[in-house]
Amino acid sequence: MGQETKSMGLWAATSIGVGAMVGAGIFSIFGMAAEISGNAVYVSFVIAGLVALLSTYSYAKLGARYPSAGGPVEFLVRGFGDGILSGGLNVLLWVGYIFGLALYARGFSSYAVTFLPAGSGQAWDAVFATGIILVFTGVNFIGAKAVGKSELFIVSIKVGILILFGLAGLFYVTPGNLALSNFPAPSKILYGAGMVFLAYQGFGLITNAAEDMENPEKTLPRALYLSVVMVICIYVLVSLAVIGNLSISEIGQSKDYALAAAAKPFLGAAGFRIMALAALFSTASAINASLYGGANTCYIIAKEGELPEFFERKVWKRSTEGLFITSGLVILCANFLNLERIGMLASASLLLIYIAVNAVHLHLYKETRAKPILIWASLLSSAGFFAVLVYYELGHSPGTLVLLAGIIAGCFIVEGVYRKFSKRILKPRGPAS
């Protein structure tokens, strides 16, 4: 094969991050976060965004130094070397994608049932959540390129609708809904931030496209920072529009489809339907992207030790069992775990990966020419967020922590057993840039 042209510019790279972050996360967890953070939920989004912005520093430096379609997995192998630690973390990242996919599937079902007659049975939640996963399992198995090409179109629609919704909503806010006197305790704002942190997870996907950038040393960091800043602004705008138009009790009554409910007071029934459709587009595109890009990458690395030279959608055909195992686990999680538990497990898994990436960066900062103080700031903020999540769950759902501990232990046990059985080793994608 000849040398491929590297033509991805700044805005194309930024759109990957914005598209991956905006939409599914905020549609799926906004109502749940608002129940915790109250009318300060927009503050939670700012705090979570700032922590994400700190994490982009390590991703930017490492991604520019080691451009690879493997993304964070490449960084972990570079820093920790081939071993159970880097392998177990890769498995944990794969599991994190599974929880994220389950969350998106539940988000899709919550908005889909709003199109059914009032009083329709709860069984429809399971039907829609399972059905959307099966649809994109089929898409990935067949390898339909049309869906991949439609991602940019879907991203443009959902971002545009959210911005218009936020701007229009500001003209109809009830000032009392935003009163500082109604803010909850700071601890609840922090936990809400830990929960909505999941809505920023997509920025890391920009590093997976580093190999396609003409000048990753400059383009990658700029795209990472720009995408996170843009998304913080969008989330704050949307948050203000929602809590300005709905009381916290009203959000609680419609928490599974809060954004659509918030559009109804100033846009009427048509606004409700438009936001519900935007949610369906957003969650569906996130399921497609996560199943193809994230889960696919992690599973193949876990099985084979490295990505194939040319990574394409049809790569699932090399490991079809991975597609079905991933989809099966997603369906189980979506149907048997509640939304808050799924959100916590997804956020916690993601935070552990960020902590690990920053720890790796402390070993490699001389190669990346990074500033250790910024790496430490990112590592400690991510660790602090993780501690906040653990502390909250201790008082609200200890069983979730037991499940999380079991999942983490299971990831490393699976890696150890598979490594011993298969003799597989993890290899970096290629030489350092």
Side-chain angles (χ1 to χ4, degrees):
M1 299 283 297
Q3 182 69 31
E4 294 185 9
T5 302
K6 297 183 178 182
S7 57
M8 182 173 291
L10 174 62
W11 288 106
T14 301
S15 69
I16 292 176
V18 173
M21 284 184 278
V22 171
I26 194 169
F27 280 116
S28 301
I29 64 176
F30 185 92
M32 182 171 55
E35 278 197 316
I36 298 168
S37 301
N39 66 337
V41 66
Y42 67 92
V43 180
S44 293
F45 273 105
V46 172
I47 295 171
L50 293 176
V51 174
L53 199 57
L54 281 173
S55 294
T56 61
Y57 182 73
S58 285
Y59 273 72
K61 289 290 187 180
L62 290 166
R65 176 62 175 162
Y66 310 112
S68 165
V73 181
E74 176 83 10
F75 310 153
L76 294 172
V77 176
R78 292 280 182 180
F80 292 144
D82 172 49
I84 292 179
L85 179 58
S86 53
L89 287 169
N90 175 63
V91 176
L92 180 63
L93 182 58
W94 173 55
V95 171
Y97 276 110
I98 288 172
F99 288 128
L101 282 159
L103 189 73
Y104 301 155
R106 284 290 298 275
F108 181 92
S109 68
S110 295
Y111 282 88
V113 295
T114 65
F115 289 90
L116 299 179
S120 297
Q122 290 186 342
W124 282 105
D125 281 324
V127 170
F128 284 121
T130 302
I132 193 64
I133 294 299
L134 292 177
V135 166
F136 284 108
T137 298
V139 165
N140 277 267
F141 180 73
I142 296 170
K145 293 183 179 180
V147 174
K149 291 180 179 179
S150 68
E151 284 293 323
L152 183 58
F153 176 70
I154 294 174
V155 167
S156 301
I157 290 177
K158 67 184 182 183
V159 171
I161 288 176
L162 282 173
I163 292 175
L164 289 174
F165 160 78
L167 292 174
L170 291 182
F171 289 98
Y172 296 89
V173 299
T174 301
N177 289 355
L178 301 173
L180 297 180
S181 59
N182 294 328
F183 270 24
S187 59
K188 290 191 173 183
I189 298 175
L190 282 175
Y191 179 70
M195 181 63 70
V196 302
F197 187 73
L198 182 67
Y200 291 98
Q201 71 161 337
F203 75 80
L205 291 178
I206 298 177
T207 62
N208 295 79
E211 289 184 353
D212 297 319
M213 296 177 191
E214 186 174 347
N215 188 356
E217 291 80 7
K218 290 184 178 180
T219 302
L220 181 62
R222 291 174 181 174
L224 281 164
Y225 299 136
L226 185 58
S227 65
V228 174
V229 170
M230 289 174 64
V231 169
I232 291 174
C233 294
I234 293 172
Y235 284 166
V236 170
L237 178 65
V238 169
S239 299
L240 290 171
V242 174
I243 62 176
N245 284 276
L246 294 179
S247 66
I248 298 303
S249 61
E250 289 173 325
I251 292 176
Q253 293 170 7
S254 58
K255 67 177 182 179
D256 292 340
Y257 49 90
L259 269 66
K264 199 169 185 178
F266 62 93
L267 292 176
F272 183 99
R273 293 303 180 203
I274 290 172
M275 290 303 294
L277 282 172
L280 295 181
F281 273 110
S282 298
T283 48
S285 67
I287 289 169
N288 179 51
S290 297
L291 191 59
Y292 163 50
N296 191 353
T297 300
C298 293
Y299 183 85
I300 291 174
I301 291 175
K303 180 186 177 185
E304 302 182 9
E306 62 180 331
L307 285 171
E309 184 177 357
F310 297 103
F311 189 73
E312 301 172 345
R313 179 178 297 276
K314 64 185 180 184
V315 161
W316 267 128
K317 293 185 178 180
R318 294 173 51 142
S319 304
T320 51
E321 80 286 349
L323 175 61
F324 297 123
I325 290 172
T326 299
S327 299
L329 291 173
V330 171
I331 290 171
L332 287 174
C333 290
N335 285 288
F336 294 102
L337 293 177
N338 65 44
L339 194 62
E340 182 173 347
R341 180 168 285 189
I342 297 172
M344 188 276 178
L345 292 172
S347 284
S349 301
L350 178 67
L351 283 165
L352 286 172
I353 296 301
Y354 285 178
I355 292 169
V357 168
N358 282 297
V360 159
H361 200 187
L362 287 174
H363 288 286
L364 301 172
Y365 78 91
K366 291 183 180 179
E367 292 187 31
T368 63
R369 298 179 181 178
K371 296 180 180 179
I373 189 172
L374 292 178
I375 304 173
W376 274 110
S378 178
L379 191 154
L380 293 175
S381 63
S382 296
F385 251 26
F386 183 79
V388 167
L389 284 174
V390 170
Y391 180 78
Y392 185 90
E393 291 299 327
L394 275 174
H396 291 79
S397 180
T400 302
L401 290 180
V402 174
L403 180 58
L404 175 63
I407 288 168
I408 295 170
C411 288
F412 288 95
I413 291 171
V414 167
E415 169 65 18
V417 171
Y418 183 73
R419 175 179 289 266
K420 184 176 181 179
F421 172 77
S422 67
K423 308 299 182 184
R424 183 268 285 124
I425 61 173
L426 298 174
K427 300 176 184 178
R429 172 78 167 186
S433 60

